[in-house]
Amino acid sequence: MKPSPELIELRDEIAATMQRLNLDQAANELSQLQEQMKSADFWQDPKKAADVAQREAKLRARVETWHGLLALANDLIELTLVADPAMRAEIDDQAEKISKRLEELKQELRFNGPYDERDVIISIYAGAGGTDAQDWAQMLLRMYTRWAESNGCRAEMIDQSAGEEAGIKSATFKIIGGDYLYGRLKEEQGVHRLVRQSPFNSAASRETSFAKVDVLPLIDQPGEVEIDDKDLKIDVFRAGGHGGQSVNTTDSAVRVTHLPTGITVSIQNERSQLQNKETALAILRSRLVALQQEQHAKDLSEIKGPNQSAEWGNQIRSYVLHPYKQVKDLRSGYETSDAEKILDGNLNPLINAALEKR
């Protein structure tokens, strides 16, 4: 019995899709990480080792899944060369299952950006609206951390500034451990608008608040983005704790300024000065890469300063809790009346709608 042309075509489509997804590059990176993990001093830095191990596990699962699918198709082709013709129906059934699995995996093709498979750094900033806006920023922080939890990821706080009365002025955190996190979450970047009855005034008047969300690919390896030391200004200062009290006996907080672009990153999360500097530089690298992509610059020297044109009124999404309930994304057109579910972290319908628009 000869293999059907459809089965040959299926095998070739799997191989072609693997090539388009740069699976060879992923396999090479996987091999390098596995060699790194064999080093005798690998676990001397537990946090870095954990991140490498997590990256290795994610890459291994991806590479093994695709190579396993290709192997199944090849095995099926070989089987048809020796099998009895009476087995044709069973072989066709197996080919159909492989085809369905291929269609599921081909969704990865939507993530074709150079950093789409990266973990993410998200920053949230309270905008216009006073205390209501600071409370809204905290609601968004909860929304994204709940999304991370429900999608098998981990959210880690990097830096946070509390509001005077409630909520937060800003927060920066990373989400790690998922597939194509930057590819899935990058459309969340922009201004988010909330309309509700204010819980912060006695009249419970209808108020509009704004918060800005920045989403960056996590670039945590220095070699990935070369930054000239002469382009950096690094300041250290005393980190302040809650209530304005100093929680450190040393000047551990760090502010890094990239002189050519004016980008400034400050970190004071109660750890050592060295750790704060490394974290600040990782965020700086991520911001420079995002800016490079936005401005279509070939190298870092071509990048201009951050784009400041995104004003608080230019929202990408509206969340209305009064007098009716509605969440509407102004780019994809997706809308739902189940605002509570969205704010509780059910962002996948919005994410999928944005992906369909790409």
Side-chain angles (χ1 to χ4, degrees), residues 314-329:
N314 300 329
Q315 67 268 11
I316 62 161
R317 187 179 301 154
S318 290
Y319 307 71
V320 180
L321 302 182
H322 180 78
Y324 55 89
K325 293 185 178 180
Q326 182 189 63
V327 175
K328 182 173 182 178
D329 191 278

Side-chain angles (χ1 to χ4, degrees), residues 71-88:
L72 283 175
N74 281 322
D75 289 347
L76 212 53
I77 289 172
E78 290 183 11
L79 180 61
T80 59
L81 298 175
V82 297
D84 188 280
M87 295 183 63
R88 172 65 74 180

Side-chain angles (χ1 to χ4, degrees), residues 236-287:
V236 296
F237 55 96
R238 184 68 54 87
H242 298 293
Q245 298 177 349
S246 174
V247 295
N248 292 326
T249 58
T250 59
D251 294 336
S252 64
V254 174
R255 180 187 301 110
V256 178
T257 303
H258 186 247
L259 299 175
T261 61
I263 295 175
T264 299
V265 180
S266 298
I267 298 295
Q268 53 171 19
N269 55 356
E270 303 182 21
R271 300 188 299 179
S272 72
Q273 183 183 123
L274 178 60
Q275 289 174 313
N276 281 333
K277 179 181 176 181
E278 290 177 350
T279 300
L281 286 173
I283 295 174
L284 176 61
R285 285 191 292 269
S286 297
R287 288 188 177 175

